[in-house]
Amino acid sequence: PGAVSGGYARVPLWNIGLPAPTLVSPAGGVPGTMTYDAGEVQIAAGQYEVAALADHDEVGIIQYQSSVNFLGETVSLCSPNIGRFTPDHFTAAVVAHGKFADACSGFTYSGQPFTYVPGDFPEMLITARGQSGNRTLNYRDAFVKLTDPATQISMASATETAQAGTDGALLQVQWNPDEPDLTPNHDGTLNFTLGEDEFRYIKEPAAQVNRFVSSTRLALTAISDSDGITANGLPLPILPQGTEIRYGHMVLDNTYGPETMPLTVPIRTEYVAGNGFVLNAADSCTSYAVPHAGLTDYSGNLSDGDTSLSGNGTLAGGLGSGFTLSAPGEGNDGGVYLGYDLDAAGLSWLRFDWNGDGNQTNPTAKATFGIFKGNPRMIYMRESVW
């Protein structure tokens, strides 16, 4: 039904019964469904013009191919290619929050870099969706336009969410991201996995707190493909399982003895506990070596070249046998300072503000030759003062 005038016919859309669309590409995809608002079809010179809003729920390029009976005649329909249709938006969900690896033996020093446990990286699932929220299965192959995570996927800076410093502010976390991996599954989804990112808690005066388990928050903040399709529901928080953080330092102990005997300077690491520092008995990872140690500020009868250094090792239970200074020989009594260059040794997180001036420096100890403990067989000695 409908009026015919001047070679034109206008009929209600629902009387035509347009066929389901045929998918032109991507190959192997699904044709999807086209829905229309109320409207009419105008027929003129064998062409159909749809005066209605239409919505296609899939990605890709479609075409109409059909034959219909109209007023007793068979009319063949073959539309031009229609599209390319794109998703309406993306959504993202956390597949795995990931887990931080301990940088030392069961813990991580404040200031020490750490990363994820191998194979336990944060992973997110990104899904392309239509206007109604359906997953667009045809967001696949060449129709995937989300291909460059370095510029099209954004994340916020890492933050500590629970532990405050001595100044009351949350501790600062530094994050150096590695290249992430974005893998399309060719079914409307993509896996976005972070790489071997490096983190460290900034070691500053306010960070001198008791040990705590990190509560680091990452967040996916923006997704946009080359068509400008963006994500809903962001930011998406990511909370990797934490590592225990300890504020520590390295200590070299002063030592003394006769100039005819070698002297050993012990080495240990400590961390903040309560109102002071205690032995870090968990430290079995920190190593030390002579090339990063040096002797300076000779005094008395001791001169450069009179004694030499030896000693390398790895701490066990926070303790090391340390460095040995060779005996300078009779008459070469005096002192010398031994320092250990933690920056050169790759252990900068064990520096400490020894002078209380706000600057973290290397540990030092004084070795003194020519001082005796006294005769171990002597029971009592009294010195006259007049």
Side-chain angles (χ1 to χ4, degrees), residues 100 114-119 121-122 175-181 193-199:
F100 287 134
F114 59 96
T115 185
Y116 308 109
V117 171
F121 300 89
W175 176 29
N176 295 317
D178 187 27
E179 184 70 25
D181 179 70
T193 308
L194 300 188
E196 294 184 3
D197 304 337
E198 183 181 275
F199 300 82

Side-chain angles (χ1 to χ4, degrees), residues 139-304:
Y139 196 74
R140 53 180 290 177
D141 305 323
F143 288 84
V144 176
K145 303 300 180 180
L146 186 61
T147 57
D148 186 5
T151 58
Q152 296 179 340
I153 298 180
S154 301
M155 298 192 68
S157 300
T159 57
E160 165 62 30
T161 64
Q163 181 63 50
T166 57
D167 59 358
L170 291 173
L171 296 181
Q172 298 184 64
V173 186
Q174 183 183 65
W175 176 29
N176 295 317
D178 187 27
E179 184 70 25
D181 179 70
L182 182 65
T183 303
N185 299 314
H186 302 295
D187 63 356
T189 66
L190 305 92
N191 286 92
F192 180 62
T193 308
L194 300 188
E196 294 184 3
D197 304 337
E198 183 181 275
F199 300 82
R200 72 178 72 211
Y201 276 76
I202 303 300
K203 188 179 182 183
E204 55 187 352
Q208 193 170 318
V209 297
N210 289 316
R211 61 184 180 177
F212 65 95
V213 176
S214 65
S215 181
T216 309
R217 181 184 186 272
L218 308 175
L220 183 63
T221 56
I223 302 173
S224 177
D225 71 4
S226 58
D227 287 325
I229 308 303
T230 59
N232 295 347
L234 299 182
L236 177 69
I238 302 140
L239 305 170
Q241 185 175 329
T243 176
E244 183 179 290
I245 304 295
R246 298 187 178 191
Y247 189 103
H249 61 207
M250 178 181 284
V251 180
L252 300 176
D253 287 325
N254 295 334
T255 187
Y256 58 90
E259 69 270 30
T260 56
M261 299 284 291
L263 289 182
T264 297
V265 177
I267 186 172
R268 69 181 185 275
T269 53
E270 299 178 334
Y271 72 100
V272 172
N275 295 321
F277 284 84
V278 299
L279 176 68
N280 191 1
D283 189 343
S284 296
C285 75
T286 300
S287 60
Y288 55 94
V290 163
H292 306 305
L295 299 175
T296 58
D297 296 331
Y298 292 86
S299 61
N301 295 319
L302 194 64
S303 301
D304 186 11

Side-chain angles (χ1 to χ4, degrees), residues 39-105:
E40 292 183 334
V41 174
Q42 176 175 291
I43 304 172
Q47 295 187 9
Y48 282 51
E49 295 181 2
V50 179
L53 295 175
D55 178 69
H56 187 53
D57 66 356
E58 261 300 345
V59 168
I61 299 173
I62 62 172
Q63 188 182 65
Y64 284 104
Q65 302 172 358
S66 185
S67 297
V68 298
N69 186 285
F70 180 66
L71 302 177
E73 295 185 14
T74 299
V75 179
S76 296
L77 299 175
C78 184
S79 75
N81 288 346
I82 303 172
R84 173 175 58 90
F85 291 94
T86 63
D88 179 76
H89 63 277
F90 296 107
T91 59
V94 175
V95 175
H97 286 276
K99 181 179 181 180
F100 287 134
D102 300 322
C104 196
S105 39

